[in-house]
Structures are given as structure tokens and as C-alpha cells.
Amino acid sequence: MRIFFAGAVAGAFASLITHPIDVIKTNHMVNPKISKYPYSKMVSYLYRESGLKGFARGLILRTIHMSIMSTIMLCGYEQFLYFFMVRITPF
């Protein structure tokens, strides 16, 4: 259960930290109006258009998604490690 909780917290923390960068990248890819500008101008454009809320758009769904994915990955890794540690250990 501790691993399950650790995976969820790690995924949530990672998504909170990286989400604003992902919003900038996504807007760069899909918005032809600002895709030709450098990132500093894109950040100022997004801030002018939406304020700080613009950088948090979709944050809740991404946090839920990353928490679930990190939990699955960490639990799978621990099971994989346990499986091979039991089989490889000669004692």
C-alpha cells in the first residue's frame, strides 16, 4: 500500500511541476498565431490572453492521469523486481 501511495504522490507532484511547460508546448504546436515566436513571447501572449489560469488549464485531469500512470508503473516495477529477486537469489 505504501508503494501505491508513493506512486500517486510522485505522479501528482511531477504533473504539478511540469504542467505549465506542457501548456506552452501544446500551444506552440496547435496555435499557428503564436507558433512562429520564441517561447518568451509565447509565455507573455498566453499570460495576456488567459492570465495564470491559462497555464493551469487541464491541470486536474493531467494530475489524475499522471497519478494513476505513476502508480501503475511503480507497482509494476516493484512486482517485476520482486519476481526476479526471488528467482535469482540462490539462498
Side-chain angles (χ1 to χ4, degrees), residues 47-72:
Y47 184 74
R48 263 195 329 265
E49 290 293 314
S50 311
L52 287 178
K53 283 184 178 181
F55 293 102
R57 186 177 299 146
L59 179 63
I60 294 172
L61 291 177
R62 185 166 188 256
T63 302
I64 292 169
H65 173 260
M66 290 298 293
S67 294
I68 293 170
M69 293 304 294
S70 293
T71 301
I72 292 170

mmCIF file of all heavy atoms in Angstrom, residues 47-72:
data_model
loop_
_atom_site.group_PDB
_atom_site.id
_atom_site.type_symbol
_atom_site.label_atom_id
_atom_site.label_comp_id
_atom_site.label_asym_id
_atom_site.label_seq_id
_atom_site.Cartn_x
_atom_site.Cartn_y
_atom_site.Cartn_z
ATOM 1 N N TYR A 47 -0.098 34.608 -21.127
ATOM 2 C CA TYR A 47 -0.429 35.324 -19.892
ATOM 3 C C TYR A 47 -1.382 36.477 -20.165
ATOM 4 O O TYR A 47 -2.323 36.708 -19.411
ATOM 5 C CB TYR A 47 0.849 35.826 -19.218
ATOM 6 C CG TYR A 47 0.586 36.488 -17.897
ATOM 7 C CD1 TYR A 47 0.252 35.731 -16.784
ATOM 8 C CD2 TYR A 47 0.644 37.864 -17.761
ATOM 9 C CE1 TYR A 47 -0.004 36.323 -15.565
ATOM 10 C CE2 TYR A 47 0.395 38.472 -16.549
ATOM 11 C CZ TYR A 47 0.073 37.704 -15.455
ATOM 12 O OH TYR A 47 -0.191 38.287 -14.264
ATOM 13 N N ARG A 48 -1.165 37.203 -21.260
ATOM 14 C CA ARG A 48 -2.065 38.303 -21.631
ATOM 15 C C ARG A 48 -3.458 37.794 -21.967
ATOM 16 O O ARG A 48 -4.459 38.413 -21.619
ATOM 17 C CB ARG A 48 -1.506 39.054 -22.840
ATOM 18 C CG ARG A 48 -0.736 40.281 -22.529
ATOM 19 C CD ARG A 48 -0.515 41.166 -23.741
ATOM 20 N NE ARG A 48 -0.417 40.465 -25.006
ATOM 21 C CZ ARG A 48 0.729 40.094 -25.586
ATOM 22 N NH1 ARG A 48 1.866 40.342 -24.992
ATOM 23 N NH2 ARG A 48 0.723 39.477 -26.746
ATOM 24 N N GLU A 49 -3.522 36.685 -22.668
ATOM 25 C CA GLU A 49 -4.816 36.157 -23.109
ATOM 26 C C GLU A 49 -5.620 35.516 -21.975
ATOM 27 O O GLU A 49 -6.823 35.691 -21.911
ATOM 28 C CB GLU A 49 -4.608 35.109 -24.220
ATOM 29 C CG GLU A 49 -4.128 35.691 -25.513
ATOM 30 C CD GLU A 49 -5.166 36.575 -26.165
ATOM 31 O OE1 GLU A 49 -6.342 36.181 -26.233
ATOM 32 O OE2 GLU A 49 -4.785 37.681 -26.599
ATOM 33 N N SER A 50 -4.940 34.743 -21.106
ATOM 34 C CA SER A 50 -5.673 33.947 -20.116
ATOM 35 C C SER A 50 -5.252 34.183 -18.677
ATOM 36 O O SER A 50 -5.870 33.624 -17.775
ATOM 37 C CB SER A 50 -5.482 32.463 -20.413
ATOM 38 O OG SER A 50 -5.723 32.168 -21.753
ATOM 39 N N GLY A 51 -4.185 34.901 -18.453
ATOM 40 C CA GLY A 51 -3.690 35.074 -17.092
ATOM 41 C C GLY A 51 -3.055 33.785 -16.589
ATOM 42 O O GLY A 51 -2.699 32.900 -17.368
ATOM 43 N N LEU A 52 -2.914 33.678 -15.295
ATOM 44 C CA LEU A 52 -2.321 32.459 -14.729
ATOM 45 C C LEU A 52 -3.210 31.241 -14.905
ATOM 46 O O LEU A 52 -2.729 30.110 -14.929
ATOM 47 C CB LEU A 52 -2.024 32.670 -13.238
ATOM 48 C CG LEU A 52 -0.838 33.571 -12.933
ATOM 49 C CD1 LEU A 52 -0.682 33.751 -11.428
ATOM 50 C CD2 LEU A 52 0.429 33.027 -13.535
ATOM 51 N N LYS A 53 -4.518 31.462 -15.057
ATOM 52 C CA LYS A 53 -5.435 30.338 -15.291
ATOM 53 C C LYS A 53 -5.110 29.620 -16.589
ATOM 54 O O LYS A 53 -5.345 28.421 -16.716
ATOM 55 C CB LYS A 53 -6.882 30.826 -15.335
ATOM 56 C CG LYS A 53 -7.476 31.118 -14.002
ATOM 57 C CD LYS A 53 -8.932 31.484 -14.166
ATOM 58 C CE LYS A 53 -9.566 31.745 -12.827
ATOM 59 N NZ LYS A 53 -10.982 32.077 -12.959
ATOM 60 N N GLY A 54 -4.584 30.341 -17.553
ATOM 61 C CA GLY A 54 -4.231 29.725 -18.828
ATOM 62 C C GLY A 54 -3.153 28.670 -18.697
ATOM 63 O O GLY A 54 -3.128 27.694 -19.442
ATOM 64 N N PHE A 55 -2.246 28.863 -17.766
ATOM 65 C CA PHE A 55 -1.182 27.887 -17.556
ATOM 66 C C PHE A 55 -1.649 26.687 -16.744
ATOM 67 O O PHE A 55 -0.951 25.682 -16.674
ATOM 68 C CB PHE A 55 0.012 28.546 -16.859
ATOM 69 C CG PHE A 55 0.687 29.568 -17.712
ATOM 70 C CD1 PHE A 55 0.456 30.914 -17.511
ATOM 71 C CD2 PHE A 55 1.536 29.183 -18.729
ATOM 72 C CE1 PHE A 55 1.067 31.859 -18.306
ATOM 73 C CE2 PHE A 55 2.152 30.120 -19.528
ATOM 74 C CZ PHE A 55 1.920 31.462 -19.323
ATOM 75 N N ALA A 56 -2.803 26.790 -16.113
ATOM 76 C CA ALA A 56 -3.346 25.695 -15.317
ATOM 77 C C ALA A 56 -4.485 24.971 -16.024
ATOM 78 O O ALA A 56 -5.092 24.076 -15.440
ATOM 79 C CB ALA A 56 -3.834 26.226 -13.975
ATOM 80 N N ARG A 57 -4.753 25.322 -17.252
ATOM 81 C CA ARG A 57 -5.850 24.688 -17.993
ATOM 82 C C ARG A 57 -5.564 23.193 -18.160
ATOM 83 O O ARG A 57 -4.537 22.803 -18.679
ATOM 84 C CB ARG A 57 -5.990 25.345 -19.363
ATOM 85 C CG ARG A 57 -7.184 24.849 -20.141
ATOM 86 C CD ARG A 57 -7.328 25.574 -21.435
ATOM 87 N NE ARG A 57 -7.530 26.998 -21.165
ATOM 88 C CZ ARG A 57 -7.071 27.971 -21.949
ATOM 89 N NH1 ARG A 57 -6.375 27.672 -23.025
ATOM 90 N NH2 ARG A 57 -7.306 29.226 -21.660
ATOM 91 N N GLY A 58 -6.465 22.355 -17.679
ATOM 92 C CA GLY A 58 -6.323 20.909 -17.774
ATOM 93 C C GLY A 58 -5.472 20.286 -16.680
ATOM 94 O O GLY A 58 -5.144 19.102 -16.744
ATOM 95 N N LEU A 59 -5.137 21.060 -15.675
ATOM 96 C CA LEU A 59 -4.237 20.578 -14.625
ATOM 97 C C LEU A 59 -4.836 19.437 -13.812
ATOM 98 O O LEU A 59 -4.146 18.460 -13.511
ATOM 99 C CB LEU A 59 -3.847 21.731 -13.698
ATOM 100 C CG LEU A 59 -2.933 21.388 -12.531
ATOM 101 C CD1 LEU A 59 -1.593 20.898 -13.052
ATOM 102 C CD2 LEU A 59 -2.750 22.588 -11.637
ATOM 103 N N ILE A 60 -6.099 19.523 -13.483
ATOM 104 C CA ILE A 60 -6.717 18.480 -12.650
ATOM 105 C C ILE A 60 -6.734 17.139 -13.377
ATOM 106 O O ILE A 60 -6.344 16.114 -12.809
ATOM 107 C CB ILE A 60 -8.137 18.904 -12.217
ATOM 108 C CG1 ILE A 60 -8.053 20.114 -11.291
ATOM 109 C CG2 ILE A 60 -8.866 17.752 -11.535
ATOM 110 C CD1 ILE A 60 -9.374 20.723 -10.948
ATOM 111 N N LEU A 61 -7.133 17.154 -14.638
ATOM 112 C CA LEU A 61 -7.170 15.898 -15.385
ATOM 113 C C LEU A 61 -5.776 15.324 -15.587
ATOM 114 O O LEU A 61 -5.570 14.110 -15.484
ATOM 115 C CB LEU A 61 -7.849 16.106 -16.737
ATOM 116 C CG LEU A 61 -9.337 16.385 -16.671
ATOM 117 C CD1 LEU A 61 -9.883 16.655 -18.061
ATOM 118 C CD2 LEU A 61 -10.062 15.226 -16.034
ATOM 119 N N ARG A 62 -4.810 16.179 -15.854
ATOM 120 C CA ARG A 62 -3.442 15.700 -16.039
ATOM 121 C C ARG A 62 -2.878 15.149 -14.730
ATOM 122 O O ARG A 62 -2.163 14.144 -14.733
ATOM 123 C CB ARG A 62 -2.545 16.813 -16.559
ATOM 124 C CG ARG A 62 -1.149 16.330 -16.887
ATOM 125 C CD ARG A 62 -0.401 17.353 -17.718
ATOM 126 N NE ARG A 62 0.839 16.787 -18.178
ATOM 127 C CZ ARG A 62 2.034 17.086 -17.663
ATOM 128 N NH1 ARG A 62 2.120 17.956 -16.681
ATOM 129 N NH2 ARG A 62 3.116 16.531 -18.132
ATOM 130 N N THR A 63 -3.196 15.784 -13.620
ATOM 131 C CA THR A 63 -2.725 15.296 -12.333
ATOM 132 C C THR A 63 -3.314 13.928 -12.016
ATOM 133 O O THR A 63 -2.597 13.028 -11.557
ATOM 134 C CB THR A 63 -3.074 16.299 -11.221
ATOM 135 O OG1 THR A 63 -2.491 17.564 -11.540
ATOM 136 C CG2 THR A 63 -2.566 15.841 -9.878
ATOM 137 N N ILE A 64 -4.595 13.749 -12.271
ATOM 138 C CA ILE A 64 -5.227 12.442 -12.058
ATOM 139 C C ILE A 64 -4.583 11.395 -12.964
ATOM 140 O O ILE A 64 -4.242 10.293 -12.525
ATOM 141 C CB ILE A 64 -6.751 12.534 -12.288
ATOM 142 C CG1 ILE A 64 -7.396 13.388 -11.207
ATOM 143 C CG2 ILE A 64 -7.374 11.148 -12.339
ATOM 144 C CD1 ILE A 64 -8.834 13.762 -11.493
ATOM 145 N N HIS A 65 -4.404 11.746 -14.226
ATOM 146 C CA HIS A 65 -3.809 10.823 -15.191
ATOM 147 C C HIS A 65 -2.392 10.429 -14.782
ATOM 148 O O HIS A 65 -2.034 9.240 -14.770
ATOM 149 C CB HIS A 65 -3.808 11.476 -16.573
ATOM 150 C CG HIS A 65 -3.086 10.687 -17.609
ATOM 151 N ND1 HIS A 65 -1.805 10.994 -18.001
ATOM 152 C CD2 HIS A 65 -3.454 9.603 -18.325
ATOM 153 C CE1 HIS A 65 -1.420 10.130 -18.915
ATOM 154 N NE2 HIS A 65 -2.401 9.277 -19.124
ATOM 155 N N MET A 66 -1.574 11.394 -14.428
ATOM 156 C CA MET A 66 -0.192 11.097 -14.056
ATOM 157 C C MET A 66 -0.111 10.321 -12.749
ATOM 158 O O MET A 66 0.768 9.473 -12.587
ATOM 159 C CB MET A 66 0.619 12.391 -13.959
ATOM 160 C CG MET A 66 0.867 13.052 -15.299
ATOM 161 S SD MET A 66 1.817 12.024 -16.419
ATOM 162 C CE MET A 66 3.377 11.975 -15.577
ATOM 163 N N SER A 67 -1.014 10.590 -11.818
ATOM 164 C CA SER A 67 -1.027 9.831 -10.564
ATOM 165 C C SER A 67 -1.324 8.358 -10.827
ATOM 166 O O SER A 67 -0.648 7.476 -10.286
ATOM 167 C CB SER A 67 -2.063 10.398 -9.608
ATOM 168 O OG SER A 67 -1.717 11.681 -9.210
ATOM 169 N N ILE A 68 -2.304 8.099 -11.659
ATOM 170 C CA ILE A 68 -2.666 6.714 -11.981
ATOM 171 C C ILE A 68 -1.538 6.026 -12.733
ATOM 172 O O ILE A 68 -1.147 4.897 -12.414
ATOM 173 C CB ILE A 68 -3.980 6.674 -12.782
ATOM 174 C CG1 ILE A 68 -5.135 7.128 -11.898
ATOM 175 C CG2 ILE A 68 -4.235 5.279 -13.348
ATOM 176 C CD1 ILE A 68 -6.427 7.363 -12.648
ATOM 177 N N MET A 69 -0.968 6.708 -13.723
ATOM 178 C CA MET A 69 0.096 6.100 -14.514
ATOM 179 C C MET A 69 1.347 5.844 -13.670
ATOM 180 O O MET A 69 1.992 4.803 -13.810
ATOM 181 C CB MET A 69 0.441 6.981 -15.714
ATOM 182 C CG MET A 69 -0.678 7.080 -16.731
ATOM 183 S SD MET A 69 -1.240 5.479 -17.343
ATOM 184 C CE MET A 69 0.210 4.952 -18.208
ATOM 185 N N SER A 70 1.701 6.771 -12.809
ATOM 186 C CA SER A 70 2.876 6.568 -11.957
ATOM 187 C C SER A 70 2.650 5.443 -10.960
ATOM 188 O O SER A 70 3.577 4.677 -10.658
ATOM 189 C CB SER A 70 3.214 7.854 -11.214
ATOM 190 O OG SER A 70 3.631 8.834 -12.112
ATOM 191 N N THR A 71 1.441 5.324 -10.448
ATOM 192 C CA THR A 71 1.126 4.238 -9.525
ATOM 193 C C THR A 71 1.252 2.889 -10.221
ATOM 194 O O THR A 71 1.866 1.963 -9.684
ATOM 195 C CB THR A 71 -0.296 4.411 -8.966
ATOM 196 O OG1 THR A 71 -0.361 5.662 -8.297
ATOM 197 C CG2 THR A 71 -0.659 3.294 -8.027
ATOM 198 N N ILE A 72 0.710 2.786 -11.409
ATOM 199 C CA ILE A 72 0.796 1.533 -12.167
ATOM 200 C C ILE A 72 2.247 1.205 -12.475
ATOM 201 O O ILE A 72 2.691 0.058 -12.326
ATOM 202 C CB ILE A 72 -0.045 1.622 -13.451
ATOM 203 C CG1 ILE A 72 -1.531 1.672 -13.105
ATOM 204 C CG2 ILE A 72 0.260 0.461 -14.391
ATOM 205 C CD1 ILE A 72 -2.425 2.003 -14.271
#
